[in-house]
Each structure stands twice: as C-alpha cells, then as structure tokens.
C-alpha cells in the first residue's frame, strides 16, 4: 500500500483490510465473520432501503506512546446501539458480541491505527440494517451487522480552531417525540439540506433549536452542544438529541475539575451569557464555537473573542485526549487496551 500521510488525514473513507459481519436469522445472531469485500449483496426489497431500518454507531481507537491500541468506551456504544434498535424495531445485538466484533475489527486492521505522534485515530463504524424483503411497512425478520474501520483526522478541518455555526430556523432535524435520541440514518438524511446550506454560507455546522417552540438549544449537526459560564458546564436536556458519549465523558471531567455541571433546557437567549461554547462528539472531539448567527432573527452571539478556544474548553479537550491516548490514568475504566 502507498504510505499514509497520517498527520494529514481528513475525516473520510479509506479502504482497510477487513470488515467484520454477523447475520441475524431465525431469531439469532451468527458467529462473527471477517470479510475483505467492501460490498454487500442486498435484496432489493430490504427494509433498510425502503423504510429506513438502519442504525449505526461511531467510536474510535487510539495508539498510545507505548504503541498499544486503546478503544474508548465501546460498551456505551453497544448500549446506545441497542437503544437505537428498540427505537426502530430492529433485532438488538448483544453487548458482548458488539465488543468482540469491535476488538476483532481493530486487531485485524491494526496497521491502520495511526501512530501516536500524528494525533489521528482509527474511526470505527458499526452499522446494522434490516435485510429481509418486505413491501408492507413492517420490521424485517433478518438483519446484518457490519463493522468497518478507517483512519481519520479532524471532522471539522479547522481541528481545535473555533469555527462559526448557524441557526437556520426553516429546518428541523428531529421531532420532539421522534427519533432524535436514536442514531438512525434518517436523522442524518433530514439534516443534509440544512447542513449543505450552512456550508455554502461559510459555517461549519447548523445549531438546531427545539422543533416545537424554537426557543431552546438542541444540538450542533453531528455533535452535542455545551456552554461554559461562571465555572459551570451547561448542556441541553432535550427529547430530540442524541445522548453523546463524549458529552457524558466531558460532564464527568468537568466535575473532576471542580466545575458545576448542569444538564437542562437551555434557552437560545442564554447564549449571550456564555463565556465559551463548543460542539462535542466522537468525530468532532471538542470543536470550539467562534460565533453563532441566528440569521433570520438578525442576532449573533460571540465567543472566543481573541479567535482562540477558551481556557476551560481547552483544558477539557486536553484531558479527554490524554485519557484516550493513554497519557493519563484511566480512572473510570473507559478504555479497553488491546494486547
Ligand atoms: N449528536 C449527533 C447527532 C451525532 O451524530 C453525534 C455523533 O455520534 C453526537 C451527537 C456525539 O455523540 P458521541 O459523543 O457519542 O459520538
Ligand atoms: C460520530 O461522531 O461518531 C458521528 O457519528 C458523527 C458523524 C460522522 C455522523
């Protein structure tokens, strides 16, 4: 293979050696299988194609200074995948099988885990789809679970540099009692038009408001939102956002640093009082927010007045990365080290 320029990776797809699959049939999951093909042989009436029976996950593996590979909080992803499955009537994958297959996918592609110095990581993408043929709107009886991996750099090309985000009031991502709390493909389809519009206007992402009242902050495209003020870490509580594992980790780290942590409805107006704001997620890590424009209301909220990330966001970012790369002790048992 051509040498990979590890320090220059974007958040994109690169072919790796193996993907791992398990098939659900006759009410049970089969043994994990290694595949080299990047393609699937699918029935044209599969429920994933017509009725969106598709859930996925995203997690990362990191290579430490000691050369060892560490996978971050995979049990949490296994549990969230099960929750997503319940959300759209799909067969749930056992947690142990998920963990076994993630570890196998990483081990079999270990040459693609970027070196410590690059600051890059291996993105792990588990995907579960309904595969049996159905024309009526009904759940499938057969499913395929696949994990592929790909080495990645930062999701937002600016990395840890603050970027502007935008409120586009004419679009919603998820309904208040809809599928926003599940990681289903349909939520991302629903976000594409707004996301592309934001990019055309020079913003890195859309900051969604709650769909019902358009008063509260929901989340930032593919990441949760947090704000910092008065030594407090504040993040929205909402029935239409994904429960982010990064956010959950940051809430713990913020508390350890002596910050107060509040998870509650956050009014848009409160943005004006935040000293720092950021987007957080597996892909985004922490992406500091420079400015939020609420275009149709002609309002702007400014953070990072000198163009740099605020001190608390930076401290949280460093702490999280240090745990992920194994530079600091894994006090909470978040990391699985592969031998
Ligand atoms: N919100 C959405 C809509 C996402 O797609 C993601 C990414 O997974 C997140 C939040 C962040 O979640 P996590 O930190 O578990 O990656
Ligand atoms: C992640 O952070 O893992 C995501 O899934 C975000 C995006 C790439 C969909």
């Amino acid at each position: 293979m051509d040498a990979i320029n590890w320090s220059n990776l974007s958040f994109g797809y690169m072919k790796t050696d193996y993907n791992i699959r398990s098939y659900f049939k006759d009410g049970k999951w089969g043994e994990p299988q290694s595949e080299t093909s990047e393609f699937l042989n699918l029935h044209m009436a599969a429920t994933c194609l017509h009725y969106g029976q598709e859930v996925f996950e995203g997690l990362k593996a990191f290579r430490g200074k000691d050369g060892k590979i560490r996978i971050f909080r995979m049990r949490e992803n296994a549990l969230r995948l099960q929750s997503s499955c319940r959300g759209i009537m799909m067969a749930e994958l056992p947690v142990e099988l998920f963990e076994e297959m993630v570890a196998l996918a990483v081990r079999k592609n270990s040459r693609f885990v970027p070196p410590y110095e690059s600051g890059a990581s291996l993105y792990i993408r588990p995907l579960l789809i309904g595969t049996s043929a159905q024309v009526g709107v009904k759940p499938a009886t057969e499913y395929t679970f696949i994990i592929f991996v790909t080495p990645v750099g930062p999701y937002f090309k600016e990395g840890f540099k603050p970027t502007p985000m935008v409120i586009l009031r004419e679009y919603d991502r998820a309904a208040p009692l809809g599928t926003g709390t599940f990681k289903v493909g349909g939520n991302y389809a629903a976000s594409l038009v707004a996301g592309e519009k934001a990019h055309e206007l020079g913003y890195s992402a859309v900051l969604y408001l709650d769909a019902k009242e358009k008063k509260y902050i929901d989340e930032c495209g593919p990441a949760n939102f947090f704000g910092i003020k008065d030594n407090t870490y504040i993040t929205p509580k909402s029935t239409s956002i994904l429960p982010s594992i990064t956010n959950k980790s940051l809430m713990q780290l913020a508390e350890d640093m002596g910050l107060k942590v509040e998870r509650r409805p956050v009014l848009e107006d409160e943005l004006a009082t935040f000293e720092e704001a950021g987007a957080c997620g597996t892909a985004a890590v922490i992406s500091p927010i420079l400015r939020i424009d609420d275009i149709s209301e002609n309002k702007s909220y400014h953070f990072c007045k000198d163009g740099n990330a605020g001190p608390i966001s930076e401290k949280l970012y460093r702490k999280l990365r240090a745990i992920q790369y194994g530079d600091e002790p894994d006090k909470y048992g978040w990391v699985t080290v592969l031998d």
Side-chain angles (χ1 to χ4, degrees), residues 52-67:
Q53 268 206 313
E54 187 271 41
V55 301
F56 69 101
E57 270 304 327
L59 63 162
K60 278 177 173 171
F62 303 84
R63 194 181 295 280
K65 243 183 227 160
D66 55 7

Side-chain angles (χ1 to χ4, degrees), residues 18 20 28 33 51 65 92 105 162 224 252 285-287 290 295 297 309 335:
Y18 298 96
I20 313 295
K28 51 181 191 301
Q33 300 175 11
Y51 305 127
K65 243 183 227 160
E92 282 179 50
N224 275 181
Q252 180 65 58
V285 195
I286 286 181
S287 192
L290 178 68
I295 306 189
E297 300 290 296
V335 171

Side-chain angles (χ1 to χ4, degrees), residues 22-304:
S22 171
Y23 301 96
F24 181 89
K25 207 175 169 185
D26 300 327
K28 51 181 191 301
W29 288 98
E31 283 299 303
Q33 300 175 11
S34 288
E35 289 275 352
T36 51
S37 168
E38 295 165 281
F39 295 92
L40 289 160
N41 190 14
L42 260 190
H43 193 289
M44 64 186 175
T47 62
C48 62
L49 298 177
H50 298 261
Y51 305 127
Q53 268 206 313
E54 187 271 41
V55 301
F56 69 101
E57 270 304 327
L59 63 162
K60 278 177 173 171
F62 303 84
R63 194 181 295 280
K65 243 183 227 160
D66 55 7
K68 288 190 181 157
I69 299 170
R70 290 168 172 79
I71 306 172
F72 191 65
R73 303 198 79 169
M74 66 172 161
R75 179 158 286 249
E76 292 288 330
N77 293 90
L79 292 170
R80 190 171 63 188
L81 184 81
Q82 290 188 330
S83 159
S84 298
C85 287
R86 290 191 293 273
I88 60 167
M89 298 289 287
M90 297 176 67
E92 282 179 50
L93 189 87
V95 168
E96 293 69 29
L97 182 57
F98 180 95
E99 292 182 330
E100 179 191 345
M101 288 175 68
V102 168
L104 189 60
V106 175
R107 270 185 221 285
K108 295 210 70 140
N109 294 291
S110 60
R111 70 189 182 101
F112 293 97
V113 184
Y116 172 80
E117 297 72 26
S118 65
S121 56
L122 187 74
Y123 188 70
I124 304 163
R125 171 53 63 84
L127 171 77
L128 207 166
I129 54 174
T131 50
S132 48
Q134 204 70 264
V135 181
V137 181
K138 280 200 294 261
T141 54
E142 292 177 11
Y143 293 87
T144 297
F145 178 63
I146 310 175
I147 301 179
F148 70 79
V149 300
T150 191
V152 294
Y155 187 74
F156 295 114
K157 64 179 187 312
E158 296 81 359
F160 194 61
K161 207 173 152 289
T163 59
M165 299 198 182
V166 66
I167 295 171
L168 296 173
R169 286 169 174 269
E170 61 276 39
Y171 302 101
D172 292 321
R173 170 186 173 274
L177 300 176
T179 55
T181 55
F182 308 123
K183 207 162 167 63
V184 303
N187 295 340
Y188 298 82
S191 74
L192 289 174
V193 172
E196 285 305 298
K197 184 159 178 187
H199 290 148
E200 276 164 25
L201 294 170
Y203 298 97
S204 60
V206 178
L207 179 66
Y208 287 96
L209 298 181
D210 78 281
K212 190 171 173 188
E213 296 192 73
K214 297 278 185 186
K215 271 166 62 178
Y216 298 95
I217 305 294
D218 251 3
E219 59 181 333
C220 311
N224 275 181
F225 172 87
F226 69 88
I228 308 282
K229 73 171 172 189
D230 302 332
N231 211 38
T232 308
Y233 179 99
I234 300 161
T235 192
K237 188 177 166 139
S238 159
T239 58
S240 46
I241 66 179
L242 193 75
S244 155
I245 296 158
T246 312
N247 198 3
K248 188 171 172 185
S249 310
L250 292 175
M251 285 189 255
Q252 180 65 58
L253 298 179
E255 205 178 293
D256 294 352
M257 284 174 191
L259 272 80
K260 252 177 56 190
V261 172
E262 293 178 1
R263 194 172 151 261
R264 57 164 170 81
V266 178
L267 281 168
E268 180 192 338
D269 295 344
E270 198 176 348
L271 290 176
T273 67
F274 289 148
E275 297 146 20
E276 301 178 28
C280 63
T282 297
V285 195
I286 286 181
S287 192
I289 303 177
L290 178 68
R291 189 179 83 240
I292 296 166
D293 293 341
D294 184 348
I295 306 189
S296 58
E297 300 290 296
N298 237 332
K299 285 188 197 159
S300 281
Y301 308 92
H302 294 257
F303 316 97
C304 319

